[in-house]
């Protein structure tokens, strides 16, 4: 049975999602090396051997968690951009930033785990993980190009540097964001203000 078949069957029972929910929490807190299959099984309340009914290995569980973490943010930004089609460059950028932050902190275990264990320990990330991240970064590459063409971002700045700076700053908020202290809408406006060209 391949991964897709397991995923299809497990979606019906919910057991696959339960395993991933607990794995995401453990990976967020302990990282790749400190999170074991035994810990995941104990958190779910099943035997370690039962995990193999749903996943072939620890790496497959981690791969699914990381991909879900990127997917949640990707979908959030796409939805935000769809709602602001035709809007001004600052409004588009603010919507994308807000979509990223909302998903990043709305799915905290998955997104934080995705950031924390992306390198899969000493092993290179699987191709599905790299492809998922490239696909998401492409959304921002297109947005940065659009905003630079329309004057919403400094045209003289290197697009890849802007992309890495912005995504790094947004993802870095997992270390300091607290919902009781920060408002995501306000943060999105602040990020846009920091990136916008200085008035002449």
């Amino acid at each position: 049975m391949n991964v897709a078949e397991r995923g299809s069957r497990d979606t019906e029972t919910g057991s696959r999602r339960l395993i991933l929910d607990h794995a995401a929490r453990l990976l967020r807190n302990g990282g790749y090396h400190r999170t074991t299959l035994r810990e995941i099984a104990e958190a779910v309340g099943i035997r370690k051997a039962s995990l193999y009914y749903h996943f072939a290995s620890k790496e497959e569980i981690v791969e699914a968690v990381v991909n879900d973490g990127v997917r949640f943010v990707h979908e959030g930004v796409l939805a935000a951009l769809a709602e602001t089609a035709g809007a001004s460059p600052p409004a588009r950028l603010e919507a994308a930033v807000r979509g990223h932050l909302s998903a990043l902190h709305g799915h905290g275990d998955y997104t934080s785990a995705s950031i924390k264990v992306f390198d899969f320990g000493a092993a290179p990330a699987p191709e599905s993980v790299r492809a998922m991240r490239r696909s998401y970064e492409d959304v921002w590459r297109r947005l940065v190009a659009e905003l630079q063409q329309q004057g919403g971002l400094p045209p003289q700045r290197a697009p890849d540097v802007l992309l890495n700076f912005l995504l790094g700053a947004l993802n870095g908020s997992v270390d300091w964001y607290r919902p009781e202290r920060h408002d995501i809408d306000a943060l999105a406006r602040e990020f846009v203000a920091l990136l916008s060209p200085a008035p002449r």
Side-chain angles (χ1 to χ4, degrees):
M1 182 184 306
N2 61 32
V3 176
E5 289 170 340
R6 277 197 297 272
S8 175
R9 181 184 62 190
D10 291 343
T11 297
E12 298 175 3
T13 64
S15 54
R16 182 177 188 274
R17 179 54 59 194
L18 183 62
I19 291 169
L20 293 177
D21 286 348
H22 285 287
R25 177 178 54 80
L26 290 168
L27 287 164
R28 176 185 189 175
N29 294 327
Y32 182 87
H33 291 296
R34 292 178 57 192
T35 301
T36 66
L37 286 175
R38 184 178 302 280
E39 286 179 314
I40 295 171
E42 289 176 353
V44 177
I46 60 176
R47 293 179 302 155
K48 177 182 172 182
S50 299
L51 291 174
Y52 294 107
Y53 180 76
H54 307 285
F55 296 94
S57 63
K58 171 185 170 179
E59 289 70 26
E60 192 174 288
I61 294 175
V62 176
E63 181 177 353
V65 168
V66 172
N67 281 341
D68 275 350
V70 177
R71 178 174 59 82
F72 291 142
V73 178
H74 192 163
E75 291 174 350
V77 171
L78 287 179
L81 289 174
E83 292 174 359
T84 56
S88 67
R92 295 270 287 163
L93 179 59
E94 184 177 320
V97 170
R98 185 170 57 250
H100 184 106
L101 289 173
S102 295
L104 184 71
H105 299 292
H107 300 277
D109 286 342
Y110 283 88
T111 53
S112 294
S114 179
I115 294 168
K116 190 167 190 175
V117 304
F118 181 74
D119 60 359
F120 278 64
E127 176 54 32
S128 75
V129 170
R130 286 180 279 138
M132 182 77 74
R133 178 167 286 193
R134 284 195 302 268
S135 179
Y136 179 56
E137 289 176 347
D138 284 343
V139 172
W140 283 93
R141 286 190 179 91
R142 291 192 294 270
L143 179 60
V144 166
E146 169 193 324
L147 295 175
Q148 285 187 311
Q149 290 169 5
Q150 297 177 9
L153 286 174
Q156 71 274 22
R157 303 303 181 205
D160 283 345
V161 173
L162 277 172
L163 172 69
N164 292 332
F165 172 77
L166 181 56
L167 292 182
L170 293 175
N171 289 338
S173 68
V174 299
D175 293 326
W176 52 262
Y177 172 82
R178 299 292 181 273
E180 66 275 11
R181 294 176 55 191
H182 302 99
D183 176 74
I184 284 181
D185 288 342
L187 284 177
R189 289 192 295 273
E190 191 67 23
F191 270 108
V192 172
L194 289 170
L195 286 167
S196 297
R200 296 182 182 277

